Amino acid sequence: MVGTSSGRLLLPAYSGIVIVFLVAPALVVVPIAFTTSPFLDFPPPGYGLSWFAVYFGSDVWLGATVRSFGVALATAILATLVGGLAALALARSASRWRGTIFALFLAPMIVPRIVIAVGLFYLFARIGLVATDLGLVIGHTVLALPFAFVTVAAVVKSHDWRLDQAAATLGANRFKTLLLVTVPLLKGGLVSAFLFAFITSFDELTIAIFVSGGVKTTLPKQMWDDMILQLNPTLAAVSVVVFLIVMSLLLVAERLRRANR
């Protein structure tokens, strides 16, 4: 409709506008985190590090941060292990249930998180996992599993299975073939899956609200509580820390994904 030359200019301009629209709200938080005001003022009347000092000097905030890292690490390991093995199994499977199983692994991405959170709450309440780190890990793994599964499945599609057959011909059993041949060849995808699962867990709020029981508070849950009870620039300082962590992990995951092509 607009011609080839105009279209070449229109697409980058449109993409730039969309990117600015998505990123601008997050960037506004950065100067607010350095404000000297006790309120969320923009633009800030002055700049300082007082609210970061409040964050790093608070046992509540640091405890929530440490718990989030621990839960995210355990979730990433579990989701990568289960999702990776499932992706490998489905790649070699010729079962007629292959599509159904694939859809089952993707279900947590489609089902609303509030539905999953309510279901986990009722289940965990019956077996005593509410307000436990194990309950948080299991709940976060349910949500992180599709991301790890899809990431590994995308890498497995380009894997040369003849290398596994060659290892078996030379005397390696299935476990050694998996450990010494398959995993090293897929390590880029596995690391990416690990990072995506870690980010999913580290940034998860809905599951934490229902499963934490108000006792095992994660960093997103503590941010939610702070926003309700006392809205101050400490929340912006914590948001900047979370933003830097998540962006760093996403950049590493994207770099590994490109290197594995």
Side-chain angles (χ1 to χ4, degrees):
M1 294 177 62
V2 297
T4 304
S5 58
S6 299
R8 291 176 180 175
L9 297 176
L10 186 61
L11 181 59
Y14 176 76
S15 301
I17 292 173
V18 172
I19 292 174
V20 170
F21 178 79
L22 294 175
V23 175
L27 296 181
V28 169
V29 176
V30 177
I32 297 178
F34 294 92
T35 185
T36 56
S37 171
F39 307 104
L40 295 174
D41 294 337
F42 185 83
Y47 294 93
L49 297 174
S50 58
W51 297 109
F52 285 93
V54 172
Y55 166 62
F56 288 108
S58 171
D59 293 337
V60 175
W61 281 111
L62 292 182
T65 304
V66 171
R67 181 172 292 106
S68 287
F69 270 104
V71 171
L73 181 62
T75 297
I77 294 174
L78 186 58
T80 304
L81 181 63
V82 176
L85 292 176
L88 287 171
L90 283 182
R92 302 299 300 271
S93 174
S95 172
R96 62 176 182 174
W97 299 103
R98 180 180 175 184
T100 304
I101 297 174
F102 190 90
L104 183 64
F105 272 94
L106 297 185
M109 297 179 65
I110 303 171
V111 178
R113 292 192 175 186
I114 186 67
V115 176
I116 298 175
V118 172
L120 288 175
F121 173 75
Y122 279 106
L123 174 63
F124 290 170
R126 291 178 175 273
I127 60 179
L129 288 180
V130 173
T132 63
D133 290 334
L134 179 59
L136 285 172
V137 171
I138 296 175
H140 286 190
T141 301
V142 172
L143 296 182
L145 190 58
F147 297 96
F149 175 74
V150 170
T151 303
V152 177
V155 178
V156 168
K157 289 181 64 176
S158 60
H159 178 65
D160 190 353
W161 295 104
R162 292 175 297 179
L163 298 175
D164 295 62
Q165 296 172 356
T169 302
L170 294 173
N173 56 34
R174 291 188 177 183
F175 179 75
K176 285 187 176 181
T177 301
L178 176 65
L179 188 64
L180 301 178
V181 178
T182 309
V183 170
L185 292 174
L186 301 178
K187 64 180 180 180
L190 292 173
V191 174
S192 296
F194 178 90
L195 292 176
F196 281 124
F198 185 95
I199 293 170
T200 301
S201 173
F202 191 80
D203 198 40
E204 172 55 34
L205 171 63
T206 310
I207 297 294
I209 291 176
F210 282 84
V211 177
S212 68
V215 178
K216 298 293 185 178
T217 304
T218 60
L219 188 57
K221 176 64 166 54
Q222 183 60 37
M223 294 173 67
W224 173 264
D225 293 341
D226 199 69
M227 182 178 65
I228 295 176
L229 299 176
Q230 49 175 359
L231 189 60
N232 59 52
T234 306
L235 191 61
V238 179
S239 299
V240 170
V241 174
V242 174
F243 178 76
L244 291 176
I245 293 173
V246 172
M247 286 302 300
S248 299
L249 293 176
L250 284 175
L251 290 175
V252 171
E254 179 63 18
R255 185 171 182 177
L256 290 173
R257 187 185 66 83
R258 291 188 176 186
N260 200 59
R261 282 182 174 178

